[in-house]
PDB file of all heavy atoms in Angstrom:
ATOM      1  N   TRP A 433     -20.073  39.773  15.061  1.00 98.00           N
ATOM      2  CA  TRP A 433     -19.884  38.568  15.878  1.00 98.00           C
ATOM      3  C   TRP A 433     -21.073  38.371  16.811  1.00 98.00           C
ATOM      4  O   TRP A 433     -21.589  37.258  16.955  1.00 98.00           O
ATOM      5  CB  TRP A 433     -18.582  38.689  16.675  1.00 98.00           C
ATOM      6  CG  TRP A 433     -18.214  37.474  17.466  1.00 98.00           C
ATOM      7  CD1 TRP A 433     -17.381  36.462  17.075  1.00 98.00           C
ATOM      8  CD2 TRP A 433     -18.674  37.113  18.781  1.00 98.00           C
ATOM      9  NE1 TRP A 433     -17.293  35.500  18.069  1.00 98.00           N
ATOM     10  CE2 TRP A 433     -18.077  35.880  19.129  1.00 98.00           C
ATOM     11  CE3 TRP A 433     -19.529  37.718  19.701  1.00 98.00           C
ATOM     12  CZ2 TRP A 433     -18.301  35.252  20.357  1.00 98.00           C
ATOM     13  CZ3 TRP A 433     -19.769  37.097  20.921  1.00 98.00           C
ATOM     14  CH2 TRP A 433     -19.155  35.878  21.240  1.00 98.00           C
ATOM     15  N   CYS A 434     -21.513  39.454  17.460  1.00 98.00           N
ATOM     16  CA  CYS A 434     -22.648  39.338  18.378  1.00 98.00           C
ATOM     17  C   CYS A 434     -23.935  39.028  17.629  1.00 98.00           C
ATOM     18  O   CYS A 434     -24.734  38.187  18.066  1.00 98.00           O
ATOM     19  CB  CYS A 434     -22.811  40.634  19.184  1.00 98.00           C
ATOM     20  SG  CYS A 434     -21.504  40.915  20.388  1.00 98.00           S
ATOM     21  N   SER A 435     -24.149  39.713  16.515  1.00 98.00           N
ATOM     22  CA  SER A 435     -25.359  39.448  15.732  1.00 98.00           C
ATOM     23  C   SER A 435     -25.417  37.991  15.295  1.00 98.00           C
ATOM     24  O   SER A 435     -26.465  37.339  15.369  1.00 98.00           O
ATOM     25  CB  SER A 435     -25.409  40.355  14.503  1.00 98.00           C
ATOM     26  OG  SER A 435     -25.514  41.709  14.871  1.00 98.00           O
ATOM     27  N   ALA A 436     -24.269  37.468  14.833  1.00 98.00           N
ATOM     28  CA  ALA A 436     -24.239  36.106  14.297  1.00 98.00           C
ATOM     29  C   ALA A 436     -24.239  35.065  15.398  1.00 98.00           C
ATOM     30  O   ALA A 436     -25.084  34.159  15.406  1.00 98.00           O
ATOM     31  CB  ALA A 436     -23.010  35.934  13.399  1.00 98.00           C
ATOM     32  N   TYR A 437     -23.293  35.187  16.340  1.00 98.00           N
ATOM     33  CA  TYR A 437     -23.147  34.116  17.323  1.00 98.00           C
ATOM     34  C   TYR A 437     -24.171  34.211  18.451  1.00 98.00           C
ATOM     35  O   TYR A 437     -24.847  33.232  18.775  1.00 98.00           O
ATOM     36  CB  TYR A 437     -21.732  34.098  17.906  1.00 98.00           C
ATOM     37  CG  TYR A 437     -21.567  32.965  18.886  1.00 98.00           C
ATOM     38  CD1 TYR A 437     -21.601  31.644  18.439  1.00 98.00           C
ATOM     39  CD2 TYR A 437     -21.410  33.195  20.245  1.00 98.00           C
ATOM     40  CE1 TYR A 437     -21.492  30.582  19.324  1.00 98.00           C
ATOM     41  CE2 TYR A 437     -21.294  32.148  21.135  1.00 98.00           C
ATOM     42  CZ  TYR A 437     -21.335  30.838  20.679  1.00 98.00           C
ATOM     43  OH  TYR A 437     -21.245  29.798  21.555  1.00 98.00           O
ATOM     44  N   LEU A 438     -24.307  35.393  19.056  1.00 98.00           N
ATOM     45  CA  LEU A 438     -25.258  35.515  20.158  1.00 98.00           C
ATOM     46  C   LEU A 438     -26.701  35.419  19.664  1.00 98.00           C
ATOM     47  O   LEU A 438     -27.587  34.979  20.395  1.00 98.00           O
ATOM     48  CB  LEU A 438     -25.049  36.821  20.912  1.00 98.00           C
ATOM     49  CG  LEU A 438     -23.679  36.998  21.574  1.00 98.00           C
ATOM     50  CD1 LEU A 438     -23.620  38.313  22.342  1.00 98.00           C
ATOM     51  CD2 LEU A 438     -23.341  35.830  22.493  1.00 98.00           C
ATOM     52  N   GLY A 439     -26.938  35.850  18.420  1.00 98.00           N
ATOM     53  CA  GLY A 439     -28.292  35.810  17.878  1.00 98.00           C
ATOM     54  C   GLY A 439     -28.690  34.476  17.282  1.00 98.00           C
ATOM     55  O   GLY A 439     -29.831  34.030  17.440  1.00 98.00           O
ATOM     56  N   TYR A 440     -27.736  33.814  16.590  1.00 98.00           N
ATOM     57  CA  TYR A 440     -28.080  32.595  15.854  1.00 98.00           C
ATOM     58  C   TYR A 440     -27.306  31.371  16.340  1.00 98.00           C
ATOM     59  O   TYR A 440     -27.622  30.248  15.946  1.00 98.00           O
ATOM     60  CB  TYR A 440     -27.817  32.792  14.360  1.00 98.00           C
ATOM     61  CG  TYR A 440     -28.736  33.805  13.725  1.00 98.00           C
ATOM     62  CD1 TYR A 440     -28.432  35.169  13.744  1.00 98.00           C
ATOM     63  CD2 TYR A 440     -29.923  33.413  13.105  1.00 98.00           C
ATOM     64  CE1 TYR A 440     -29.280  36.112  13.164  1.00 98.00           C
ATOM     65  CE2 TYR A 440     -30.772  34.335  12.524  1.00 98.00           C
ATOM     66  CZ  TYR A 440     -30.449  35.687  12.557  1.00 98.00           C
ATOM     67  OH  TYR A 440     -31.294  36.603  11.990  1.00 98.00           O
TER      68      TYR A 440
END
Side-chain angles (χ1 to χ4, degrees):
W433 185 95
C434 290
S435 296
Y437 182 67
L438 299 182
Y440 293 86

